[in-house]
Amino acid sequence: LITNEIEPDVIIKVGENEIPAHIVALKLNSNLMENAVTNLQISKLPIVHILETDFSESVDIVKQAITSFYNREINLECNLEDLKSFHKFALIYDVGWLLGLTLKKLTDMVEANYHIFIDLYKFASSIVCKFLKKICLDTIDAARMDQLIENNDLSGMDYILVWEIFQLKTPVIPEGKKFEMIRKWYEADTGGRKPQIRQLLKNVNFNRMYHADCNRISNWIFESQTIDESVCIEITKAAQLRLQGLNNPYAEVAMQTIKKQLEKKKRGEYDTLTTEELISG
């Protein structure tokens, strides 16, 4: 088969491009591709199988993948976009051995370079690859979390990714840092992201915040030129829900600080109010 001594009995068609192959090679590597072969019983011509139109711009990738069916050897020392195409092909057509190789290669790449984390996560979501999504999320540790915040990478994340980061058991994200993440994510698109901020705020335990965190929240509400009043209200509502029924005097004072700051902003007053001032006054 490798030397083409046996005539191909199937044509893999990618757009207008045709790749000769053998049904037995498909069967040994991909049941899905074998089952997709058409006219097997009624046609005397080589069978034509039309791949997904997503691969019409990746003909060389498909050729290399089909060729690898004969000896299970493939060169994955390529750029990220080509590697993503190999992975997508392996996932869609259930080529298990190739899927394993591409996952390992992508894991190495995302661990070595956190900058591709968001792009790779979006790619995994677009092709519904739970394995790759988990790999991306598993690379997040405390240091990488700090990098995401400091470099403002949050602006490129969608709501689902931010939500899933909050659900991670490790690293444990301090409550103040959670709020800082939500703030930076929201400020990158104050109009488009306003509807989701209520859900994200449910992940913040305001009663566990440090003193300085509460001051930063109240000052942000007062000083921000982009924050919508309705968002301020959502923040105070979220904080109140978390504090209800808790025997935590400091948390109650912190809540009052945030509420007072919102009231001052509505009145157009321009001095800031801290929890120390509220306690002493």
Side-chain angles (χ1 to χ4, degrees), residues 7-172:
E7 286 292 319
D9 56 5
V10 62
I11 297 294
I12 308 299
K13 191 168 184 181
V14 189
E16 297 302 316
N17 298 275
E18 295 184 350
I19 306 169
H22 300 85
I23 293 175
V24 65
L26 304 186
K27 183 175 183 178
L28 290 172
N29 291 273
S30 169
N31 288 332
L32 290 179
M33 188 173 287
E34 182 210 6
N35 293 338
V37 173
T38 58
N39 301 326
L40 183 58
Q41 302 297 326
I42 62 175
S43 174
K44 295 181 181 180
L45 298 174
I47 312 304
V48 175
H49 170 62
I50 301 176
L51 287 173
E52 302 236 344
T53 55
D54 291 342
F55 293 100
S56 60
E57 302 298 322
S58 307
V59 178
D60 288 339
I61 299 297
V62 176
K63 284 182 179 178
Q64 291 179 59
I66 297 297
T67 300
S68 74
F69 282 7
Y70 294 87
N71 55 14
R72 297 199 172 182
E73 294 180 0
I74 192 165
N75 181 13
L76 296 179
E77 296 300 324
C78 54
N79 61 48
L80 178 59
E81 292 306 310
D82 284 350
L83 186 58
K84 284 158 65 175
S85 293
F86 279 124
H87 181 74
K88 183 177 180 178
F89 179 90
L91 180 71
I92 290 177
Y93 291 103
D94 194 23
V95 186
W97 67 269
L98 181 55
L99 186 66
L101 291 178
T102 56
L103 280 172
K104 184 179 185 306
K105 188 70 174 177
L106 289 168
T107 300
D108 293 341
M109 292 181 73
V110 75
E111 287 180 348
N113 183 3
Y114 94 95
H115 292 289
I116 68 171
F117 160 74
I118 297 175
D119 174 65
L120 209 54
Y121 179 90
K122 288 180 177 178
F123 167 70
S125 298
S126 70
I127 62 173
V128 196
C129 182
K130 61 181 181 181
F131 311 109
L132 187 54
K133 285 178 67 173
K134 184 178 185 304
I135 286 169
C136 290
L137 292 171
D138 285 348
T139 63
I140 299 179
D141 55 18
R144 182 157 290 190
M145 186 73 73
D146 288 339
Q147 287 179 314
L148 291 172
I149 296 173
E150 291 170 9
N151 297 335
N152 202 27
D153 293 319
L154 293 164
S155 61
M157 295 184 184
D158 60 18
Y159 161 73
I160 298 298
L161 176 52
V162 178
W163 177 271
E164 290 199 350
I165 288 176
F166 284 155
Q167 310 314 307
L168 295 175
K169 293 182 178 179
T170 57
V172 177

